[in-house]
Amino acid sequence: MPSPKRYNLQTRRKILPGVQPGVARSEHEEQCELVRWFRSTYLNVRICAIPNGGVRGKIAGGRLKNEGVSAGVPDLFIPAWSLWIEMKRADGGTPSPVQKDWISYLQTIRNTVIVGQGFENAREKICAFVQNNALHLSSTALD
């Protein structure tokens, strides 16, 4: 008997067990892969997600807004490097006007922001950031 298909209840997309050629992956799947890679590569550097997206009811959305959640904030933050990452799908997607406003603001206060078009592109940009800034990463691997 074949195993039942699994679906993400929020996106109504089939959950992919790994990278499958020819299948467009959601931004969520790309971001999860990036976080897994980052945490296994840069063992002593923390990365965290910013819960500013997703499908919510009016009450939950209002509560989060009152707690300080703000639309447009990039998806991931690496505090030790003052590096923000806005994830997009590999096969498309561009920052919205409110995301561009946040990116501009963060850059004016001397933070770095990268927009990753999928896992591979974001990984390449993080590696370039590490090299360009000559970060000393004891007990970590560079790739």
Side-chain angles (χ1 to χ4, degrees):
M1 178 175 200
S3 63
K5 292 182 179 174
R6 295 175 44 204
Y7 291 89
N8 178 318
L9 296 177
Q10 287 187 349
T11 63
R12 306 249 190 262
R13 292 175 56 98
K14 189 166 55 169
I15 296 173
L16 304 176
V19 178
Q20 294 181 0
V23 176
R25 296 190 313 162
S26 69
E27 182 179 313
H28 166 79
E29 291 162 329
E30 299 280 2
Q31 182 171 322
C32 288
E33 187 171 359
L34 181 71
V35 170
R36 276 192 301 274
W37 166 79
F38 187 91
R39 287 180 173 161
S40 67
T41 303
Y42 302 105
L43 304 176
N44 296 323
V45 182
R46 294 184 184 190
I47 187 170
C48 63
I50 308 301
N52 58 350
V55 179
R56 300 183 179 97
K58 264 190 163 181
I59 294 173
R63 291 179 78 192
L64 289 172
K65 188 173 183 178
N66 290 338
E67 290 175 2
V69 172
S70 180
V73 176
D75 300 305
L76 298 166
F77 182 50
I78 304 167
W81 301 345
S82 297
L83 176 63
W84 297 82
I85 304 163
E86 175 59 38
M87 289 297 296
K88 296 296 176 191
R89 290 170 47 150
D91 63 344
T94 59
S96 69
V98 70
Q99 289 172 327
K100 288 178 183 177
D101 181 60
W102 264 102
I103 290 169
S104 176
Y105 167 72
L106 291 167
Q107 291 170 333
T108 63
I109 61 169
R110 298 190 177 168
N111 282 232
T112 302
V113 183
I114 63 172
V115 177
Q117 298 295 139
F119 161 69
E120 293 290 338
N121 179 259
R123 181 179 68 172
E124 289 170 9
K125 288 180 177 180
I126 291 170
C127 290
F129 175 85
V130 168
Q131 278 193 321
N132 292 340
N133 291 282
L135 296 176
H136 300 285
L137 305 166
S138 61
S139 303
T140 62
L142 288 179
D143 197 13

